[in-house]
Amino acid sequence: MDEPQYRHLFQSDGTKVVYRVQAGRSPAVMFLGGFRSDMSGTKATFIEQWCRARGLRSICMDYRGHGQSAGRFEALALSDWIDDARRVLMAVAPEEVVLVGSSMGGWIACALAREFASFAGRTTLVGLLGIASAPDFTDTLADNLDDEQRLALETTGMALRPSRYGDGPYPITRALLEDGATQRVLDRPLPLKCPVRLVHGSADADVAWHRSALLLSHMTAEDAELVIVKDADHRLSEPRSLERIGELLATLTGRAD
């Protein structure tokens, strides 16, 4: 099988969005990463290799302000990243797709799924996998800031929040919080007909597993399940969690080992 191909598109503001496509059979699997993550990460790499081993097409990408894509992170927000994912999916235009969203990517996957019929053309959404999904996380983000960070947010429009993973600090902007409020998916039922699998770690200190349970309750899909991985953290990147992700992905793609 040929090596994955890097491609790019330009958004209306002229900013380049970079994405990667691995050729293969249907359904395609599209991985949507989290806040400040990119397509070189452990889960993106795992899912691409998982698809390659089974001859499936895969798509991964960097939103604007992330990884290899252009743009200034602190000048962007949820609606921009949702639009990046939408444009990449439209550009690749697979016949069938399974959306896989990690953390913030779970929110983006749900936003795409909600409007799928309006933009996806001939592409059919055949499954959705949420990994430590963080829908509407901006609603509570300001509550986790200390007094100094809140003051910076109020006076400058941006606060810096430390990261427990050594890849911070994360810029939290007023624009991000305000834009997030316009992109909520937990404010009404989420109409889905495709099978859904959600997986979350019981020891997730960033986004409690209850958030995935709440998301599940908002979905109309009849075939929907939430899997809790005991003692796993937010990243779900250790071997046993990746193995579980692969098992769930197999049920959604019809490629069980």
Side-chain angles (χ1 to χ4, degrees), residues 9-61:
L9 56 82
F10 289 95
Q11 280 288 19
S12 57
D13 61 0
T15 305
K16 184 169 70 172
V17 175
V18 180
Y19 61 101
R20 191 168 64 227
V21 178
Q22 169 66 60
R25 299 190 302 272
S26 186
V29 175
M30 183 175 187
F31 179 76
L32 301 166
F35 192 70
R36 289 290 293 265
S37 67
D38 59 57
M39 59 182 167
S40 67
T42 301
K43 288 187 293 294
T45 302
F46 168 79
I47 288 173
E48 185 175 71
Q49 292 175 346
W50 188 94
C51 290
R52 182 182 177 89
R54 290 156 182 80
L56 293 174
R57 194 177 194 185
S58 66
I59 309 160
C60 55
M61 62 173 294

Side-chain angles (χ1 to χ4, degrees), residues 142-193:
D143 298 336
N144 297 321
L145 301 178
D146 60 28
D147 291 342
E148 183 177 349
Q149 291 165 338
R150 287 195 188 94
L151 179 61
L153 186 65
E154 293 173 3
T155 56
T156 70
M158 184 175 75
L160 295 177
R161 185 183 180 193
S163 166
R164 70 181 72 246
Y165 304 111
D167 56 351
Y170 292 168
I172 306 301
T173 65
R174 185 185 300 119
L176 174 70
L177 303 184
E178 292 174 350
D179 182 75
T182 72
Q183 300 295 332
R184 292 188 180 107
V185 295
L186 296 178
D187 57 348
R188 56 194 185 277
L190 184 59
L192 286 175
K193 296 181 180 179

Side-chain angles (χ1 to χ4, degrees), residues 190-209:
L190 184 59
L192 286 175
K193 296 181 180 179
C194 66
V196 175
R197 299 293 182 270
L198 303 177
V199 59
H200 218 115
S202 69
D204 191 330
D206 296 294
V207 181
W209 65 264

Side-chain angles (χ1 to χ4, degrees), residues 62-118:
D62 288 336
Y63 317 115
R64 278 174 285 176
H66 292 70
Q68 299 181 46
S69 291
R72 196 161 56 91
F73 178 87
E74 56 269 28
L76 298 156
L78 258 295
S79 58
D80 299 304
W81 301 325
I82 292 169
D83 190 50
D84 292 340
R86 182 192 301 114
R87 289 281 311 279
V88 168
L89 182 56
M90 291 172 65
V92 179
E95 182 178 334
E96 297 178 322
V97 68
V98 173
L99 295 177
V100 180
S102 174
S103 192
M104 182 184 76
W107 183 355
I108 292 175
C110 289
L112 292 182
R114 183 173 60 188
E115 58 169 309
F116 205 84
S118 67

